[in-house]
C-alpha cells in the first residue's frame, strides 16, 4: 500500500492511494478462512467445504468487501501518518479502468481543519442583564392560555351562524358532479373565520342554521396538496348539524382544574415559571452575543470552504422559506440576492466561531457524556419511522462525522456554559423592554458561533441584517378527528435562529398527580 500527496494548498489536501492486487487477494483469503467453518454445501460435512469452493461461491461479495476495507484502511492510515484532522469526509474516486485482479488506484481529497491558537479564557468580562417577571406578564400569560382554551356552546336552532361561530357539518365534495376521494365527512367542526379551510368555504357557512342544507361552491388553490384537485372548481353538499357560539373561558379554579391542577394559585406559579424561563433565555442570548463578539474580535483564520458552503446553504434555505411567506416573495428574494455576500460572510463567521469553541472545549475537557449522547440519538431517531430506528443508530455508529454533527449543538452549549463560569460577570437588573432593546441593538453581523452543519439552538440570528422575509407565521395544524373537506396545507414553521424578543405564547401546563 502506497500513498502519494498530490495537493497541498491552504486547507485542501489530495492523495493517490495504491493498493496492490496481492494485498486485496490476501484479505479475500483471510475472509474465506474466517467464514469457511460456517458454510454449508450439499455433499460436504458442516465446516468441511474446501476453501477454493467457498471462494468461488462468494467471490464477488468477498472481493467488494476486501476492496472497501483496504481503501478505508489506507485512507485512515494516511490521515494518521500525516496527523491530519479532516473537516469533511474524504471524497473517494476509484480508477475508472480498475478491474478485479489488478492493483487498486484511488484518488481522494478533503479539507483539513485549520490550526487554531487557543485564546486565553482568563479575564473574560460579561454583563448579565436580569429581569424579574411582573404580575402583568404572569396575568397576560394566563389570559393567553384561557384564550387558547376556546369553548363553544350550542345556540338555538333558529340562530344563524356568524363570523367566529362554530358550525358542525356533514359534507360531500364533488368535482364535475363526481365525488372525490377524501371529500366526505361527518360532524366536522368548522370555526368561521379561522382560515382552516380553502378560501371562500367558511364564508358561505355564514347565515346557516341547524338542520339547513346547502351547496357551497369553491375553487381549490393552485398550490393545493392533492394534484388532482389543484385549481379545480368544486361543490360541497352541506348539512348543518348544529351551530355553536363562542363561550367565555373564565380564569378561575375550575379552569386550572381542567389542567389537572389544584387551583388558580398553582396555575399562576406554573405560568410564573414559564415567564422566568423565557426571560432567562433572553438573558443567556445577550450574554452569548457578548462572548462570541469577544472571541471573534481576536481570531481570524481560514475556514474550510465546504463547511462555509454547508452553513450558507442552511441560512439561505431558511431565508427562502421566509421569503415565500411574504406578501411579495419576489421582492423579498431580490433583497436577499442583493445581500448574498453578507450572508456568506455570516456563514464563514459562524463556522470560525464554531471551530474555535470546539478547540476551547477539547482543550478544557468539556465533553458530551454517553448518557447525554444516547438521549440525543433517541430524540433524533424519533424523526424516522419506528422500523428505521435501528438502522439510524447503526448509521451513526458507522459514521463518526454524522455522530459529531448530532453532538455539536449540545457540545457547543456546554462550552459556552463553561466560559460563562470562567468569566467575571456583572449583574444588572433591567426591564424586559430594556433587555430586548439590548439584544436588538447588537449588530446581527455578530450573531455567529454556530458549529457548521449542525442543527442550531434558537439563540443566534441567521443573518447579518434582518431577514427580508420576517413574518414566517405558521398555522397550528391540529390533527382533525374527521377528514376535512379541503384544508389548506399548513405553513411550515421557519427554523428561526433569532432569539424570540416577543413574548411567547403561554404553554399549556402539564397536569400533575397530587
Amino acid at each position: 500500500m502506497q500513498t502519494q500527496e498530490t495537493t497541498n494548498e491552504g486547507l485542501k489536501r489530495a492523495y493517490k492511494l495504491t493498493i496492490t492486487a496481492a494485498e486485496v487477494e490476501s484479505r479475500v483469503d483471510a475472509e474465506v478462512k474466517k467464514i469457511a467453518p460456517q458454510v454449508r454445501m450439499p455433499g460436504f460435512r458442516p465446516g468441511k467445504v474446501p476453501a477454493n469452493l467457498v471462494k468461488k461461491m462468494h467471490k464477488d461479495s468477498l472481493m467488494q468487501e476486501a476492496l472497501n476495507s483496504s481503501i478505508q484502511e489506507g485512507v485512515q492510515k494516511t490521515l494518521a501518518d500525516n496527523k491530519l484532522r479532516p473537516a469533511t469526509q474524504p471524497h473517494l474516486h476509484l480508477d475508472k479502468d480498475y478491474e478485479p485482479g489488478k492493483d487498486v488506484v484511488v484518488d481522494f481529497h478533503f479539507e483539513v481543519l485549520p490550526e487554531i491558537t487557543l485564546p486565553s479564557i482568563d479575564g473574560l468580562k460579561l454583563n448579565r442583564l436580569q429581569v424579574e417577571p411582573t404580575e402583568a406578564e404572569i396575568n397576560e400569560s394566563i389570559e393567553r392560555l384561557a384564550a387558547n382554551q376556546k369553548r363553544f356552546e350550542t345556540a338555538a336552532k333558529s340562530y344563524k351562524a356568524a363570523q367566529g361561530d362554530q358550525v358542525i357539518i356533514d359534507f360531500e365534495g364533488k368535482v364535475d358532479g363526481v365525488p372525490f376521494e377524501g371529500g366526505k365527512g361527518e360532524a366536522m367542526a368548522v370555526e368561521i373565520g379561522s382560515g382552516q379551510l380553502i378560501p371562500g368555504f367558511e364564508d358561505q357557512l355564514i347565515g346557516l342554521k341547524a338542520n339547513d342544507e346547502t351547496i357551497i361552491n369553491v375553487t381549490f388553490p393552485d398550490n393545493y396538496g392533492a394534484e388532482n384537485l389543484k385549481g379545480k372548481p368544486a361543490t360541497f353538499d352541506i348539512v348543518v348539524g348544529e351551530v355553536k357560539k363562542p363561550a367565555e373561558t373564565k380564569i378561575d379554579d375550575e379552569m386550572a382544574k381542567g389542567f389537572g391542577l389544584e387551583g388558580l394559585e398553582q396555575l399562576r406559579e406554573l405560568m410564573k415559571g414559564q415567564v422566568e424561563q423565557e426571560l432567562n433565555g433572553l438573558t443567556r442570548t445577550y450574554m452569548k452575543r457578548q462572548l462570541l463578539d469577544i472571541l471573534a474580535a481576536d481570531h481570524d483564520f481560514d475556514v474550510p470552504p465546504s463547511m462555509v458552503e454547508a452553513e450558507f446553504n442552511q441560512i439561505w434555505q431558511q431565508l427562502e422559506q421566509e421569503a415565500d411567506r411574504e406578501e411579495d416573495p419576489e421582492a423579498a428574494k431580490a433583497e436577499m440576492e442583493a445581500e448574498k455576500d453578507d450572508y456568506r460572510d455570516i456563514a464563514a463567521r459562524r463556522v470560525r466561531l464554531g471551530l474555535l469553541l470546539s478547540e476551547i472545549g477539547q482543550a478544557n475537557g468539556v465533553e458530551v457524556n454517553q448518557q447525554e449522547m444516547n438521549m440525543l440519538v433517541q430524540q433524533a431517531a424519533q424523526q424516522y419511522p419506528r422500523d428505521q430506528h435501528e438502522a439510524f443508530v447503526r448509521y451513526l455508529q458507522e459514521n463518526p462525522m454524522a455522530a459529531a454533527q448530532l453532538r455539536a449543538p449540545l457540545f457547543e452549549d456546554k462550552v459556552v456554559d463553561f466560559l460563562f463560569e470562567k468569566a467575571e460577570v456583572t449583574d444588572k437588573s433591567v426591564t424586559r423592554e430594556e433587555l430586548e432593546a439590548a439584544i436588538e441593538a447588537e449588530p446581527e453581523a455578530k450573531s455567529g458561533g454556530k458549529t457548521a452543519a449542525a442543527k442550531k439552538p434558537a439563540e443566534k440570528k441567521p443573518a447579518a441584517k434582518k431577514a427580508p422575509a420576517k413574518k414566517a407565521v405558521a398555522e397550528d395544524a391540529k390533527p382533525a378527528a374527521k377528514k376535512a373537506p379541503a384544508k389548506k396545507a399548513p405553513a411550515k414553521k421557519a427554523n428561526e435562529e433569532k432569539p424570540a424578543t416577543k413574548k411567547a405564547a403561554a404553554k399549556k401546563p402539564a397536569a400533575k398527580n397530587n
Side-chain angles (χ1 to χ4, degrees):
M1 186 180 296
Q2 295 180 340
T3 305
Q4 176 187 358
E5 185 179 69
T6 57
T7 300
N8 187 333
E9 299 174 0
L11 299 177
K12 295 180 179 180
R13 300 288 185 276
Y15 290 86
K16 183 182 292 292
L17 173 67
T18 303
I19 304 169
T20 65
E23 290 177 275
V24 176
E25 192 66 25
S26 177
R27 285 178 180 270
V28 171
D29 292 339
E31 188 62 22
V32 168
K33 187 175 181 180
K34 181 179 176 181
I35 68 172
Q38 284 81 45
V39 174
R40 299 290 184 270
M41 184 181 289
F44 295 92
R45 287 181 297 166
K48 298 297 182 180
V49 180
N52 63 325
L53 285 181
V54 173
K55 190 173 183 179
K56 185 176 181 180
M57 287 172 57
H58 303 281
K59 181 179 180 181
D60 291 343
S61 61
L62 288 172
M63 182 63 71
Q64 188 62 53
E65 186 175 336
L67 186 62
N68 290 340
S69 61
S70 296
I71 293 172
Q72 290 301 323
E73 184 179 300
V75 170
Q76 293 304 317
K77 186 175 186 302
T78 302
L79 299 178
D81 289 349
N82 293 279
K83 298 180 180 179
L84 298 173
R85 298 188 303 162
T88 57
Q89 195 75 30
H91 297 273
L92 308 176
H93 301 279
L94 181 64
D95 186 349
K96 62 181 180 180
D97 296 326
Y98 171 73
E99 295 178 3
K102 293 184 177 181
D103 290 351
V104 183
V105 179
V106 178
D107 291 307
F108 64 98
H109 64 272
F110 54 95
E111 293 168 354
V112 296
L113 295 174
E115 293 295 327
I116 300 173
T117 302
L118 283 174
S120 171
I121 59 176
D122 297 322
L124 285 173
K125 293 183 179 181
L126 300 172
N127 294 320
R128 179 163 51 205
L129 304 184
Q130 294 181 304
V131 182
E132 289 295 325
T134 64
E135 288 299 311
E137 286 180 305
I138 297 170
N139 290 337
E140 187 179 338
S141 66
I142 294 175
E143 289 167 3
R144 287 198 300 269
L145 184 65
N148 290 335
Q149 294 300 114
K150 192 173 289 187
R151 295 193 307 113
F152 292 91
E153 293 178 345
T154 301
K157 290 189 177 181
S158 60
Y159 177 80
K160 294 182 179 181
Q163 191 81 1
D165 291 341
Q166 187 184 74
V167 184
I168 310 302
I169 62 171
D170 295 341
F171 61 88
E172 182 174 24
K174 300 175 183 178
V175 172
D176 296 330
V178 179
F180 57 85
E181 184 179 356
K184 186 175 183 178
E186 297 179 350
M188 188 186 78
V190 180
E191 182 182 343
I192 300 175
S194 66
Q196 178 186 16
L197 306 180
I198 60 176
F201 191 104
E202 295 168 17
D203 292 341
Q204 295 179 62
L205 298 177
I206 293 175
L208 297 180
K209 307 186 302 295
N211 300 320
D212 278 355
E213 297 184 16
T214 190
I215 296 175
I216 285 178
N217 293 280
V218 294
T219 299
F220 284 96
D222 292 335
N223 61 349
Y224 191 68
E227 194 68 33
N228 62 318
L229 299 176
K230 286 182 177 180
K232 291 188 176 180
T235 61
F236 282 88
D237 298 334
I238 303 293
V239 178
V240 180
E242 57 182 329
V243 177
K244 296 184 175 184
K245 295 192 293 185
E248 181 184 358
T249 300
K250 293 183 179 180
I251 298 176
D252 55 16
D253 287 339
E254 289 305 311
M255 186 189 87
K257 289 177 181 178
F259 295 116
L261 305 175
E262 293 178 354
L264 188 56
E265 276 307 307
Q266 189 177 9
L267 176 59
R268 287 186 65 81
E269 285 301 311
L270 286 175
M271 291 297 100
K272 180 181 179 181
Q274 281 192 15
V275 175
E276 287 176 338
Q277 185 177 13
E278 179 191 349
L279 293 172
N280 290 340
L282 293 177
T283 295
R284 190 179 193 279
T285 292
Y286 181 72
M287 288 182 66
K288 190 170 184 179
R289 294 274 184 82
Q290 295 176 72
L291 175 65
L292 296 178
D293 288 347
I294 292 170
L295 295 176
D298 296 328
H299 294 83
D300 185 16
F301 48 83
D302 290 339
V303 289
S306 61
M307 294 180 73
V308 174
E309 190 65 21
E311 184 67 23
F312 170 78
N313 288 339
Q314 187 171 335
I315 292 172
W316 199 252
Q317 182 180 21
Q318 178 183 339
L319 294 173
E320 286 183 323
Q321 291 172 355
E322 292 175 353
D324 285 336
R325 287 188 285 273
E326 284 290 285
E327 292 180 5
D328 187 346
E330 293 306 315
K333 290 180 179 179
E335 185 177 345
M336 284 167 51
E337 286 291 339
E339 299 174 346
K340 199 166 189 175
D341 289 342
D342 291 338
Y343 291 123
R344 199 173 292 279
D345 289 341
I346 294 306
R349 175 187 160 99
R350 284 187 177 182
V351 171
R352 186 174 294 109
L353 281 169
L355 293 174
L356 185 57
L357 287 174
S358 178
E359 290 292 325
I360 293 172
Q362 292 180 44
N364 290 278
V366 178
E367 61 180 19
V368 174
N369 62 41
Q370 191 57 51
Q371 183 178 359
E372 292 169 329
M373 188 62 192
N374 290 342
M375 289 182 64
L376 290 175
V377 172
Q378 290 174 15
Q379 291 170 0
Q382 298 307 313
Q383 301 173 23
Y384 300 89
R386 184 175 294 276
D387 60 355
Q388 295 180 21
H389 286 191
E390 187 176 334
F392 173 73
V393 173
R394 188 165 57 251
Y395 168 76
L396 291 178
Q397 291 171 342
E398 296 172 355
N399 294 270
M401 297 194 77
Q405 290 174 359
L406 182 64
R407 183 190 299 109
L410 178 57
F411 177 76
E412 181 179 306
D413 275 346
K414 295 186 78 167
V415 176
V416 169
D417 289 336
F418 166 78
L419 292 174
F420 283 169
E421 292 174 3
K422 287 284 185 180
E424 179 184 330
V425 178
T426 301
D427 289 323
K428 181 181 179 181
S429 294
V430 297
T431 65
R432 173 194 278 267
E433 290 71 23
E434 289 172 329
L435 175 55
E436 291 176 348
I439 292 174
E440 287 300 320
E442 287 290 326
E444 291 190 12
K446 296 179 179 180
S447 66
K450 179 178 173 185
T451 301
K455 203 169 185 179
K456 172 132 184 76
E459 291 187 347
K460 302 169 192 170
K461 296 189 178 184
K465 301 181 181 179
K466 283 191 178 178
K470 205 61 198 163
K471 293 182 181 177
V473 178
E475 299 172 356
D476 288 328
K478 295 182 180 179
K482 305 178 184 297
K483 262 192 180 176
K487 283 193 178 181
K488 288 181 187 176
K492 291 184 179 179
K493 284 188 179 179
N495 182 22
E496 297 250 6
E497 295 175 351
K498 178 178 177 179
T501 55
K502 293 187 178 178
K503 292 173 186 170
K507 297 178 184 176
K508 193 177 288 187
K512 291 186 177 181
N513 295 323
N514 294 309

